[in-house]
């Protein structure tokens, strides 16, 4: 019986379109071009940094971010705010809370993401990031932290994310139940793969997640 839901961040809760559009502007390439190349990286299971390398061989992402921060200290740059939240997230979380589930956010995110998520005042019980834990998905230690902070048995936890490799497989290996959400490039590509069958649920959005959980009520 599922008693706790744990959510990934990027392309599960947060629409990253504006972030990558700002990166395209920063790199001086058309937005459609960068977004298309990123989709290619996702399809080929290559890291996102390979996209930068195609446009600027030898590109130093960290150095560029530091320069960007100096030039635009008050801008969002690679960060997000409440305007980037998928519109179904807040009402969906409210419904899930009313159904009695414990709700936790836990994803691979940099230090500033915690404050950005906390400022949204979402109806969740806790927010955690890979930076705060010092370990990132798909490391099994990340999912051990998920179990620890929930205080639940792994089988009582449903981990919700947009990737098979970072979310579904490692969470399942840790003994959790899983939901693959079909949004963002990884979500759509991974949902079409046979391995998507490893997830307990494949859903398009939060209303579909609520519907999928109807037969698995909170205790």
């Amino acid at each position: 019986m599922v008693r706790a839901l744990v959510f990934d961040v990027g392309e599960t809760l947060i629409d990253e379109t504006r972030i990558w559009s700002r990166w395209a502007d920063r790199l001086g390439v058309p937005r459609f071009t960068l977004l298309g190349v990123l989709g290619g990286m996702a399809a080929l299971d290559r890291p996102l940094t390979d996209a930068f390398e195609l446009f600027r061989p030898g590109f130093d992402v960290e150095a560029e971010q530091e320069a960007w921060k100096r030039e635009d200290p008050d801008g969002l740059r690679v960060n997000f705010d409440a305007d980037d939240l998928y519109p179904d997230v807040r009402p969906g979380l409210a419904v899930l809370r009313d159904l009695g589930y414990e709700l936790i956010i836990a994803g691979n995110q940099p230090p500033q993401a915690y404050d950005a998520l906390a400022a949204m005042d979402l109806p969740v019980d806790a927010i955690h990031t890979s930076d705060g834990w010092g370990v990132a998905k798909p490391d099994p230690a990340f999912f051990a932290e998920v179990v620890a902070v929930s205080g639940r048995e792994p089988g009582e936890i449903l981990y919700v994310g947009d990737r098979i490799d970072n979310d579904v497989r490692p969470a399942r290996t840790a003994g959790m139940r899983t939901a693959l959400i079909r949004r963002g490039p990884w979500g759509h590509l991974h949902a079409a793969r046979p391995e998507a069958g490893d997830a307990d649920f494949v859903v398009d959005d939060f209303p579909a997640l609520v519907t999928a959980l109807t037969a698995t009520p909170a205790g």
Side-chain angles (χ1 to χ4, degrees):
M1 181 177 290
V2 174
R3 299 179 185 275
L5 278 72
V6 183
F7 299 92
D8 173 45
V9 179
E11 292 307 325
T12 297
L13 306 179
I14 297 296
D15 179 348
E16 297 179 324
T17 301
R18 292 202 307 164
I19 296 173
W20 290 112
S21 295
R22 289 193 295 271
W23 262 120
D25 296 344
R26 179 75 182 178
L27 292 168
V29 300
R31 294 181 175 185
F32 178 74
T33 300
L34 177 60
L35 296 175
V37 170
L38 289 171
M41 296 300 107
L44 296 171
D45 293 327
R46 290 171 59 178
L48 294 181
T49 50
D50 285 4
F52 294 127
E53 192 71 19
L54 286 176
F55 297 113
R56 292 190 190 177
F59 186 70
D60 187 328
V61 176
E62 291 187 6
E64 188 68 21
Q65 288 190 73
E66 286 301 314
W68 197 354
K69 184 177 180 179
R70 290 192 298 271
E71 295 167 20
D72 185 21
D74 299 321
L76 277 175
R77 305 183 308 279
V78 300
N79 305 313
F80 56 79
D81 63 17
D83 289 340
D84 297 298
L85 196 68
Y86 273 108
D88 64 335
V89 170
R90 190 181 298 276
L93 290 172
V95 170
L96 290 166
R97 168 168 273 187
D98 287 344
L99 288 172
Y101 293 102
E102 177 185 11
L103 305 178
I104 298 171
I105 296 173
N108 285 354
Q109 292 292 320
Q112 63 272 23
Y114 177 88
D115 289 340
L117 289 165
M120 295 180 195
D121 194 26
L122 296 170
V124 298
D125 298 288
I127 299 170
H128 299 279
T129 66
S130 55
D131 179 80
W133 283 342
V135 62
K137 298 182 296 183
D139 193 315
F142 179 96
F143 293 92
E145 290 285 358
V146 169
V147 174
V149 299
S150 73
R152 308 283 184 179
E153 292 297 320
E156 296 178 317
I157 302 168
L158 180 77
Y159 193 86
V160 184
D162 65 309
R163 295 177 60 160
I164 292 172
D165 53 350
N166 263 19
D167 303 316
V168 172
R169 282 181 173 168
R172 183 175 178 177
T173 298
M176 300 176 199
R177 301 185 69 184
T178 60
L180 178 66
I181 190 164
R182 190 189 286 108
R183 56 185 176 198
W186 283 266
H188 283 87
L189 289 165
H190 286 196
R193 296 181 180 182
E195 298 93 329
D198 291 342
D200 293 278
F201 308 114
V202 178
V203 299
D204 289 330
D205 50 27
F206 270 65
L209 178 62
V210 172
T211 298
L213 285 166
T214 301
T216 313

